[in-house]
Amino acid sequence: GLCKFVLAEDERRGGTVIDHAFIAQHCTGFEAFQSKAEATSWEMIERESGLSRADIEEAGRVFVEAKRVIGVY
């Protein structure tokens, strides 16, 4: 859900949220990941995560407004 929000926000802001140059140079499979995130419904995300869309979007806003972010998987 967080990824879905960030991808949508990147598009809404004209590609200024995600470092597309870094992704192009260092990543593979991003397009497939993006397609999967975009195709996943908010209903499924809420059901599977146990979180509301509003809560996920609130976290997403913190993420996209942060000067720096560390992601740990």
Side-chain angles (χ1 to χ4, degrees):
L2 183 61
C3 293
K4 183 177 182 77
F5 176 83
V6 171
L7 289 164
E9 193 64 11
D10 182 67
E11 184 175 330
R12 189 181 77 76
R13 294 184 184 202
T16 61
V17 173
I18 296 171
D19 187 343
H20 294 275
F22 178 90
I23 290 170
Q25 186 174 4
H26 300 287
C27 301
T28 59
F30 181 78
E31 293 80 11
F33 164 77
Q34 183 174 8
S35 293
K36 179 68 173 173
E38 290 170 350
T40 304
S41 71
W42 278 107
E43 179 182 272
M44 185 177 122
I45 291 167
E46 288 178 304
R47 183 179 63 246
E48 295 296 321
S49 71
L51 299 169
S52 71
R53 179 177 178 170
D55 287 342
I56 295 168
E57 289 180 339
E58 184 178 337
R61 281 187 284 283
V62 171
F63 181 92
V64 299
E65 295 298 330
K67 187 172 183 178
R68 292 182 179 88
V69 175
I70 296 174
V72 179
Y73 297 90

